[in-house]
Amino acid sequence: MTSAEIIALFELYVDDTTELSTAEELALLNRVYQAVLDDRAWEFLKKEASGAMATTTTITAPSDFAHFLENRSYTDNSEVPDYNSTPTGILVNGTKWLKVIDWSTRRQYVNQDGYAYYDARLGTITTTYAQPSSATYSFDYKMVAPDLLIGTSPVFPSRFHPMLAYAMAVDDMIIQIFDKARSYAGENNAKYRNQLAQMAVWNANLQQM
C-alpha cells in the first residue's frame, strides 16, 4: 500500500473528510510509522556498510545510521568463544576485527589496537589505533528509514501496512476529534497490536534461518 492508500483507510475508520489536511494526515502517519520502526531491530532495517576508511583512524558513518548490530555472534561457545564475548565488531581489510566500545570508555583504549567507537555528535566512527593507509571496513547496522511521502510505501511487507491506519486511529488527538475513533478505539488498538505481533513473529522466524 502507498501512504495515500493507508491514509484513505484511516479516513474510513474515523470518518475523516474535512477535519485534517493532507499534510496533517501524512505527519500523523509518519509519527506512527517511525514508532513501529523504533519498536525493535527489524530484519528489514538491517544493512551492511563497507568502503575505505576516511583516514587511518576514522570512518564516516552512513547517513541513515541508527546503531551497530551484532555481527560476530556464534551459537556454539566452544567453536569460537571469543566471538560471543565481542558480538559487535568492525571488520578491517577483511581479516581483523575491531570491537565496538562505548564512547564514554574510549580513553581507556587510547593507542590500543582492536577497538573503535561511534561519536553520535560528529557522525563518525573512530579507531583507538591507526589502521593501515587506505584500509577497508565493513560492519552491520540498523538503518533509519526515511519518512513516507504521499506516493511511497512502508519498508515492511504490504500485508502489515493496515496496522498503520489502525495506529493512526488510536492516536490521542484523533480520538478527541472523531466520535467514530473514540467509539472504536479499543477495536482499532487491538487490530494494531495484533498486526504488530504478527510482524514480530515473522521477524523472529527470519532471525532463525
Side-chain angles (χ1 to χ4, degrees), residues 59-65 118 123-125 137 139:
I59 296 169
T60 303
S63 59
D64 60 353
F65 180 87
Y118 176 61
T124 58
I125 299 162
Y137 68 86
F139 60 86

Side-chain angles (χ1 to χ4, degrees), residues 1-7 9 152-154 157-162 165:
M1 300 175 69
T2 66
S3 55
E5 291 171 325
I6 295 170
I7 288 172
L9 187 59
T152 60
S153 299
S158 59
R159 66 182 181 275
F160 300 119
H161 291 179

Side-chain angles (χ1 to χ4, degrees), residues 4 16 19 23 30 35 38 53 75 84 121 137-138 152 163 167 185:
D16 176 24
E19 292 286 348
N30 276 307
D38 288 340
M53 293 182 59
T75 55
N84 285 300
R121 183 178 63 84
Y137 68 86
S138 67
T152 60
M163 77 168 150

Side-chain angles (χ1 to χ4, degrees), residues 122-143:
L122 298 178
T124 58
I125 299 162
T126 303
T127 64
T128 55
Y129 189 84
Q131 303 303 307
S133 179
S134 301
T136 61
Y137 68 86
S138 67
F139 60 86
D140 296 342
Y141 70 99
K142 178 184 175 182
M143 64 170 277

Side-chain angles (χ1 to χ4, degrees), residues 104-121:
S104 299
T105 63
R106 68 195 186 285
R107 292 187 181 88
Q108 299 179 36
Y109 299 93
V110 173
N111 292 325
Q112 294 185 46
D113 198 5
Y115 304 93
Y117 60 89
Y118 176 61
D119 188 320
R121 183 178 63 84

